[in-house]
PDB file of all heavy atoms in Angstrom:
ATOM      1  N   LEU A 939      48.642 112.852  37.807  1.00  0.00           N
ATOM      2  CA  LEU A 939      49.391 113.586  37.009  1.00  0.00           C
ATOM      3  C   LEU A 939      49.237 113.231  35.520  1.00  0.00           C
ATOM      4  O   LEU A 939      49.483 112.149  35.094  1.00  0.00           O
ATOM      5  CB  LEU A 939      50.959 113.484  37.447  1.00  0.00           C
ATOM      6  CG  LEU A 939      51.912 114.428  36.810  1.00  0.00           C
ATOM      7  CD1 LEU A 939      51.528 115.888  37.276  1.00  0.00           C
ATOM      8  CD2 LEU A 939      53.217 114.180  37.126  1.00  0.00           C
ATOM      9  N   VAL A 940      48.775 114.215  34.738  1.00  0.00           N
ATOM     10  CA  VAL A 940      48.511 114.103  33.383  1.00  0.00           C
ATOM     11  C   VAL A 940      49.506 114.822  32.399  1.00  0.00           C
ATOM     12  O   VAL A 940      49.866 114.217  31.467  1.00  0.00           O
ATOM     13  CB  VAL A 940      47.040 114.636  32.945  1.00  0.00           C
ATOM     14  CG1 VAL A 940      46.823 114.533  31.533  1.00  0.00           C
ATOM     15  CG2 VAL A 940      45.966 113.855  33.707  1.00  0.00           C
ATOM     16  N   HIS A 941      50.000 115.945  32.957  1.00  0.00           N
ATOM     17  CA  HIS A 941      50.926 116.741  32.213  1.00  0.00           C
ATOM     18  C   HIS A 941      52.176 117.117  33.051  1.00  0.00           C
ATOM     19  O   HIS A 941      52.052 117.704  34.158  1.00  0.00           O
ATOM     20  CB  HIS A 941      50.218 117.991  31.686  1.00  0.00           C
ATOM     21  CG  HIS A 941      51.030 118.949  30.848  1.00  0.00           C
ATOM     22  ND1 HIS A 941      50.619 119.089  29.553  1.00  0.00           N
ATOM     23  CD2 HIS A 941      52.127 119.660  31.052  1.00  0.00           C
ATOM     24  CE1 HIS A 941      51.488 120.078  29.026  1.00  0.00           C
ATOM     25  NE2 HIS A 941      52.375 120.297  29.946  1.00  0.00           N
ATOM     26  N   LEU A 942      53.296 116.801  32.602  1.00  0.00           N
ATOM     27  CA  LEU A 942      54.604 117.130  33.366  1.00  0.00           C
ATOM     28  C   LEU A 942      55.581 117.719  32.413  1.00  0.00           C
ATOM     29  O   LEU A 942      55.919 117.166  31.403  1.00  0.00           O
ATOM     30  CB  LEU A 942      55.157 115.733  33.906  1.00  0.00           C
ATOM     31  CG  LEU A 942      56.453 115.910  34.555  1.00  0.00           C
ATOM     32  CD1 LEU A 942      56.483 116.801  35.810  1.00  0.00           C
ATOM     33  CD2 LEU A 942      57.067 114.458  34.979  1.00  0.00           C
ATOM     34  N   GLU A 943      56.036 118.854  32.804  1.00  0.00           N
ATOM     35  CA  GLU A 943      57.079 119.556  32.248  1.00  0.00           C
ATOM     36  C   GLU A 943      58.295 119.701  33.342  1.00  0.00           C
ATOM     37  O   GLU A 943      58.021 120.436  34.320  1.00  0.00           O
ATOM     38  CB  GLU A 943      56.724 120.900  31.787  1.00  0.00           C
ATOM     39  CG  GLU A 943      55.664 120.873  30.663  1.00  0.00           C
ATOM     40  CD  GLU A 943      55.293 122.285  30.052  1.00  0.00           C
ATOM     41  OE1 GLU A 943      56.292 123.167  30.019  1.00  0.00           O
ATOM     42  OE2 GLU A 943      54.182 122.450  29.754  1.00  0.00           O
ATOM     43  N   PHE A 944      59.364 118.942  33.159  1.00  0.00           N
ATOM     44  CA  PHE A 944      60.295 118.847  34.263  1.00  0.00           C
ATOM     45  C   PHE A 944      61.736 119.174  33.714  1.00  0.00           C
ATOM     46  O   PHE A 944      62.162 118.672  32.661  1.00  0.00           O
ATOM     47  CB  PHE A 944      60.299 117.425  34.795  1.00  0.00           C
ATOM     48  CG  PHE A 944      61.280 117.211  35.971  1.00  0.00           C
ATOM     49  CD1 PHE A 944      61.181 117.948  37.090  1.00  0.00           C
ATOM     50  CD2 PHE A 944      62.314 116.356  35.879  1.00  0.00           C
ATOM     51  CE1 PHE A 944      61.978 117.805  38.126  1.00  0.00           C
ATOM     52  CE2 PHE A 944      63.112 116.151  36.977  1.00  0.00           C
ATOM     53  CZ  PHE A 944      62.963 116.864  38.028  1.00  0.00           C
ATOM     54  N   GLY A 945      62.314 120.186  34.335  1.00  0.00           N
ATOM     55  CA  GLY A 945      63.711 120.656  33.867  1.00  0.00           C
ATOM     56  C   GLY A 945      64.691 120.489  34.960  1.00  0.00           C
ATOM     57  O   GLY A 945      64.427 120.832  36.182  1.00  0.00           O
ATOM     58  N   ALA A 946      65.849 120.040  34.709  1.00  0.00           N
ATOM     59  CA  ALA A 946      66.926 119.801  35.622  1.00  0.00           C
ATOM     60  C   ALA A 946      68.251 120.281  34.941  1.00  0.00           C
ATOM     61  O   ALA A 946      68.600 119.829  33.858  1.00  0.00           O
ATOM     62  CB  ALA A 946      67.024 118.383  36.056  1.00  0.00           C
ATOM     63  N   PHE A 947      68.929 121.161  35.759  1.00  0.00           N
ATOM     64  CA  PHE A 947      70.169 121.702  35.081  1.00  0.00           C
ATOM     65  C   PHE A 947      71.291 120.554  35.212  1.00  0.00           C
ATOM     66  O   PHE A 947      72.206 120.764  34.420  1.00  0.00           O
ATOM     67  CB  PHE A 947      70.496 122.981  35.956  1.00  0.00           C
ATOM     68  CG  PHE A 947      69.688 124.107  35.448  1.00  0.00           C
ATOM     69  CD1 PHE A 947      68.456 124.280  36.035  1.00  0.00           C
ATOM     70  CD2 PHE A 947      70.127 125.040  34.518  1.00  0.00           C
ATOM     71  CE1 PHE A 947      67.636 125.402  35.633  1.00  0.00           C
ATOM     72  CE2 PHE A 947      69.314 126.113  34.132  1.00  0.00           C
ATOM     73  CZ  PHE A 947      68.082 126.225  34.685  1.00  0.00           C
ATOM     74  N   GLU A 948      71.204 119.725  36.067  1.00  0.00           N
ATOM     75  CA  GLU A 948      72.184 118.657  36.174  1.00  0.00           C
ATOM     76  C   GLU A 948      71.430 117.362  36.272  1.00  0.00           C
ATOM     77  O   GLU A 948      70.419 117.202  37.003  1.00  0.00           O
ATOM     78  CB  GLU A 948      72.970 118.749  37.464  1.00  0.00           C
ATOM     79  CG  GLU A 948      73.956 120.022  37.460  1.00  0.00           C
ATOM     80  CD  GLU A 948      75.085 119.900  36.477  1.00  0.00           C
ATOM     81  OE1 GLU A 948      75.393 118.779  36.092  1.00  0.00           O
ATOM     82  OE2 GLU A 948      75.527 120.913  36.038  1.00  0.00           O
ATOM     83  N   ILE A 949      71.770 116.454  35.347  1.00  0.00           N
ATOM     84  CA  ILE A 949      71.050 115.136  35.316  1.00  0.00           C
ATOM     85  C   ILE A 949      72.272 114.016  35.457  1.00  0.00           C
ATOM     86  O   ILE A 949      73.357 114.308  35.001  1.00  0.00           O
ATOM     87  CB  ILE A 949      70.344 114.932  33.959  1.00  0.00           C
ATOM     88  CG1 ILE A 949      71.130 115.123  32.811  1.00  0.00           C
ATOM     89  CG2 ILE A 949      69.155 115.832  34.018  1.00  0.00           C
ATOM     90  CD1 ILE A 949      70.370 114.767  31.459  1.00  0.00           C
ATOM     91  N   PRO A 950      71.922 112.892  35.953  1.00  0.00           N
ATOM     92  CA  PRO A 950      72.966 111.829  36.099  1.00  0.00           C
ATOM     93  C   PRO A 950      73.416 111.431  34.746  1.00  0.00           C
ATOM     94  O   PRO A 950      72.722 111.584  33.641  1.00  0.00           O
ATOM     95  CB  PRO A 950      72.190 110.696  36.892  1.00  0.00           C
ATOM     96  CG  PRO A 950      70.992 111.400  37.488  1.00  0.00           C
ATOM     97  CD  PRO A 950      70.678 112.536  36.522  1.00  0.00           C
ATOM     98  N   GLY A 951      74.631 110.735  34.751  1.00  0.00           N
ATOM     99  CA  GLY A 951      75.205 110.262  33.463  1.00  0.00           C
ATOM    100  C   GLY A 951      74.778 108.899  33.090  1.00  0.00           C
ATOM    101  O   GLY A 951      75.215 108.344  32.148  1.00  0.00           O
ATOM    102  N   TYR A 952      73.868 108.315  33.825  1.00  0.00           N
ATOM    103  CA  TYR A 952      73.354 107.000  33.557  1.00  0.00           C
ATOM    104  C   TYR A 952      71.847 106.999  32.991  1.00  0.00           C
ATOM    105  O   TYR A 952      71.242 108.048  33.197  1.00  0.00           O
ATOM    106  CB  TYR A 952      73.540 106.094  34.670  1.00  0.00           C
ATOM    107  CG  TYR A 952      72.895 106.560  35.949  1.00  0.00           C
ATOM    108  CD1 TYR A 952      71.456 106.374  36.235  1.00  0.00           C
ATOM    109  CD2 TYR A 952      73.580 107.225  36.884  1.00  0.00           C
ATOM    110  CE1 TYR A 952      70.822 106.871  37.348  1.00  0.00           C
ATOM    111  CE2 TYR A 952      72.979 107.851  38.060  1.00  0.00           C
ATOM    112  CZ  TYR A 952      71.661 107.537  38.272  1.00  0.00           C
ATOM    113  OH  TYR A 952      71.031 108.103  39.399  1.00  0.00           O
ATOM    114  N   ARG A 953      71.440 105.944  32.432  1.00  0.00           N
ATOM    115  CA  ARG A 953      70.046 105.980  31.965  1.00  0.00           C
ATOM    116  C   ARG A 953      69.054 105.707  32.999  1.00  0.00           C
ATOM    117  O   ARG A 953      69.209 104.683  33.793  1.00  0.00           O
ATOM    118  CB  ARG A 953      69.847 104.930  30.765  1.00  0.00           C
ATOM    119  CG  ARG A 953      68.610 105.075  29.925  1.00  0.00           C
ATOM    120  CD  ARG A 953      68.644 104.052  28.883  1.00  0.00           C
ATOM    121  NE  ARG A 953      69.714 104.194  27.910  1.00  0.00           N
ATOM    122  CZ  ARG A 953      69.692 105.140  26.906  1.00  0.00           C
ATOM    123  NH1 ARG A 953      68.543 105.889  26.819  1.00  0.00           N
ATOM    124  NH2 ARG A 953      70.712 105.113  26.037  1.00  0.00           N
ATOM    125  N   ALA A 954      67.936 106.442  33.046  1.00  0.00           N
ATOM    126  CA  ALA A 954      66.830 106.239  33.959  1.00  0.00           C
ATOM    127  C   ALA A 954      65.760 105.379  33.303  1.00  0.00           C
ATOM    128  O   ALA A 954      65.240 105.810  32.242  1.00  0.00           O
ATOM    129  CB  ALA A 954      66.223 107.452  34.576  1.00  0.00           C
ATOM    130  N   MET A 955      65.360 104.299  33.787  1.00  0.00           N
ATOM    131  CA  MET A 955      64.364 103.470  33.144  1.00  0.00           C
ATOM    132  C   MET A 955      62.956 103.700  33.826  1.00  0.00           C
ATOM    133  O   MET A 955      62.813 103.550  35.031  1.00  0.00           O
ATOM    134  CB  MET A 955      64.786 101.958  33.277  1.00  0.00           C
ATOM    135  CG  MET A 955      66.082 101.574  32.582  1.00  0.00           C
ATOM    136  SD  MET A 955      66.007 101.901  30.877  1.00  0.00           S
ATOM    137  CE  MET A 955      64.892 100.674  30.212  1.00  0.00           C
ATOM    138  N   PHE A 956      61.980 104.060  32.960  1.00  0.00           N
ATOM    139  CA  PHE A 956      60.714 104.243  33.461  1.00  0.00           C
ATOM    140  C   PHE A 956      59.902 102.909  33.261  1.00  0.00           C
ATOM    141  O   PHE A 956      59.863 102.401  32.160  1.00  0.00           O
ATOM    142  CB  PHE A 956      59.993 105.357  32.720  1.00  0.00           C
ATOM    143  CG  PHE A 956      60.711 106.658  32.886  1.00  0.00           C
ATOM    144  CD1 PHE A 956      61.531 107.197  31.864  1.00  0.00           C
ATOM    145  CD2 PHE A 956      60.573 107.442  34.102  1.00  0.00           C
ATOM    146  CE1 PHE A 956      62.103 108.385  31.990  1.00  0.00           C
ATOM    147  CE2 PHE A 956      61.188 108.591  34.215  1.00  0.00           C
ATOM    148  CZ  PHE A 956      62.043 109.091  33.192  1.00  0.00           C
ATOM    149  N   GLY A 957      59.438 102.345  34.407  1.00  0.00           N
ATOM    150  CA  GLY A 957      58.858 101.087  34.319  1.00  0.00           C
ATOM    151  C   GLY A 957      57.455 101.052  34.563  1.00  0.00           C
ATOM    152  O   GLY A 957      56.736 102.025  34.834  1.00  0.00           O
ATOM    153  N   THR A 958      56.798  99.800  34.583  1.00  0.00           N
ATOM    154  CA  THR A 958      55.350  99.650  34.839  1.00  0.00           C
ATOM    155  C   THR A 958      54.972 100.159  36.282  1.00  0.00           C
ATOM    156  O   THR A 958      55.807 100.030  37.226  1.00  0.00           O
ATOM    157  CB  THR A 958      55.031  98.179  34.732  1.00  0.00           C
ATOM    158  OG1 THR A 958      55.510  97.660  33.420  1.00  0.00           O
ATOM    159  CG2 THR A 958      53.519  97.896  34.911  1.00  0.00           C
ATOM    160  N   GLY A 959      53.832 100.780  36.352  1.00  0.00           N
ATOM    161  CA  GLY A 959      53.371 101.306  37.573  1.00  0.00           C
ATOM    162  C   GLY A 959      53.712 102.777  37.867  1.00  0.00           C
ATOM    163  O   GLY A 959      53.206 103.312  38.839  1.00  0.00           O
ATOM    164  N   LEU A 960      54.460 103.370  36.926  1.00  0.00           N
ATOM    165  CA  LEU A 960      54.739 104.806  37.056  1.00  0.00           C
ATOM    166  C   LEU A 960      54.039 105.597  35.973  1.00  0.00           C
ATOM    167  O   LEU A 960      53.830 105.151  34.918  1.00  0.00           O
ATOM    168  CB  LEU A 960      56.283 105.047  36.995  1.00  0.00           C
ATOM    169  CG  LEU A 960      57.151 104.369  38.058  1.00  0.00           C
ATOM    170  CD1 LEU A 960      58.630 104.598  37.712  1.00  0.00           C
ATOM    171  CD2 LEU A 960      56.862 104.883  39.451  1.00  0.00           C
ATOM    172  N   PHE A 961      53.683 106.792  36.343  1.00  0.00           N
ATOM    173  CA  PHE A 961      53.040 107.815  35.488  1.00  0.00           C
ATOM    174  C   PHE A 961      51.842 107.028  34.726  1.00  0.00           C
ATOM    175  O   PHE A 961      51.793 107.102  33.465  1.00  0.00           O
ATOM    176  CB  PHE A 961      54.010 108.259  34.362  1.00  0.00           C
ATOM    177  CG  PHE A 961      55.243 109.093  34.950  1.00  0.00           C
ATOM    178  CD1 PHE A 961      56.400 108.462  35.195  1.00  0.00           C
ATOM    179  CD2 PHE A 961      55.050 110.315  35.448  1.00  0.00           C
ATOM    180  CE1 PHE A 961      57.542 109.190  35.672  1.00  0.00           C
ATOM    181  CE2 PHE A 961      55.971 111.103  35.937  1.00  0.00           C
ATOM    182  CZ  PHE A 961      57.252 110.504  36.051  1.00  0.00           C
ATOM    183  N   LEU A 962      50.939 106.558  35.521  1.00  0.00           N
ATOM    184  CA  LEU A 962      49.822 105.648  34.911  1.00  0.00           C
ATOM    185  C   LEU A 962      48.889 106.527  34.147  1.00  0.00           C
ATOM    186  O   LEU A 962      48.400 105.942  33.090  1.00  0.00           O
ATOM    187  CB  LEU A 962      49.062 105.073  36.023  1.00  0.00           C
ATOM    188  CG  LEU A 962      49.863 103.909  36.822  1.00  0.00           C
ATOM    189  CD1 LEU A 962      49.047 103.281  37.956  1.00  0.00           C
ATOM    190  CD2 LEU A 962      50.304 102.792  35.862  1.00  0.00           C
ATOM    191  N   VAL A 963      48.712 107.834  34.389  1.00  0.00           N
ATOM    192  CA  VAL A 963      47.711 108.532  33.529  1.00  0.00           C
ATOM    193  C   VAL A 963      48.377 109.661  32.873  1.00  0.00           C
ATOM    194  O   VAL A 963      47.764 110.493  32.197  1.00  0.00           O
ATOM    195  CB  VAL A 963      46.607 109.131  34.539  1.00  0.00           C
ATOM    196  CG1 VAL A 963      45.827 108.015  35.109  1.00  0.00           C
ATOM    197  CG2 VAL A 963      47.226 110.096  35.521  1.00  0.00           C
ATOM    198  N   LEU A 964      49.720 109.681  32.768  1.00  0.00           N
ATOM    199  CA  LEU A 964      50.479 110.827  32.165  1.00  0.00           C
ATOM    200  C   LEU A 964      50.217 110.780  30.614  1.00  0.00           C
ATOM    201  O   LEU A 964      50.377 109.662  30.003  1.00  0.00           O
ATOM    202  CB  LEU A 964      51.948 110.747  32.463  1.00  0.00           C
ATOM    203  CG  LEU A 964      52.770 111.946  32.042  1.00  0.00           C
ATOM    204  CD1 LEU A 964      52.433 113.084  32.991  1.00  0.00           C
ATOM    205  CD2 LEU A 964      54.314 111.606  32.154  1.00  0.00           C
ATOM    206  N   GLU A 965      49.878 111.912  30.000  1.00  0.00           N
ATOM    207  CA  GLU A 965      49.640 111.976  28.587  1.00  0.00           C
ATOM    208  C   GLU A 965      50.745 112.827  27.842  1.00  0.00           C
ATOM    209  O   GLU A 965      50.905 112.673  26.736  1.00  0.00           O
ATOM    210  CB  GLU A 965      48.164 112.581  28.285  1.00  0.00           C
ATOM    211  CG  GLU A 965      47.007 111.649  28.874  1.00  0.00           C
ATOM    212  CD  GLU A 965      45.790 112.280  28.522  1.00  0.00           C
ATOM    213  OE1 GLU A 965      45.636 113.392  27.938  1.00  0.00           O
ATOM    214  OE2 GLU A 965      44.702 111.673  29.056  1.00  0.00           O
ATOM    215  N   PHE A 966      51.293 113.803  28.626  1.00  0.00           N
ATOM    216  CA  PHE A 966      52.281 114.622  28.026  1.00  0.00           C
ATOM    217  C   PHE A 966      53.459 114.717  29.019  1.00  0.00           C
ATOM    218  O   PHE A 966      53.424 114.995  30.192  1.00  0.00           O
ATOM    219  CB  PHE A 966      51.740 116.027  27.893  1.00  0.00           C
ATOM    220  CG  PHE A 966      52.528 117.056  27.308  1.00  0.00           C
ATOM    221  CD1 PHE A 966      52.549 117.444  25.974  1.00  0.00           C
ATOM    222  CD2 PHE A 966      53.646 117.782  28.046  1.00  0.00           C
ATOM    223  CE1 PHE A 966      53.375 118.377  25.413  1.00  0.00           C
ATOM    224  CE2 PHE A 966      54.437 118.684  27.579  1.00  0.00           C
ATOM    225  CZ  PHE A 966      54.443 119.013  26.219  1.00  0.00           C
ATOM    226  N   LEU A 967      54.715 114.544  28.415  1.00  0.00           N
ATOM    227  CA  LEU A 967      55.926 114.582  29.195  1.00  0.00           C
ATOM    228  C   LEU A 967      56.956 115.493  28.383  1.00  0.00           C
ATOM    229  O   LEU A 967      57.191 115.159  27.189  1.00  0.00           O
ATOM    230  CB  LEU A 967      56.522 113.204  29.303  1.00  0.00           C
ATOM    231  CG  LEU A 967      57.967 113.216  29.907  1.00  0.00           C
ATOM    232  CD1 LEU A 967      57.964 113.799  31.392  1.00  0.00           C
ATOM    233  CD2 LEU A 967      58.467 111.706  29.999  1.00  0.00           C
TER     234      LEU A 967
END
Side-chain angles (χ1 to χ4, degrees):
L939 194 62
V940 175
H941 184 113
L942 173 61
E943 298 180 35
F944 183 60
F947 286 81
E948 293 292 334
I949 56 175
Y952 53 85
R953 191 178 299 278
M955 299 298 294
F956 299 102
T958 304
L960 297 175
F961 298 103
L962 290 178
V963 296
L964 193 71
E965 297 177 3
F966 180 99
L967 172 62

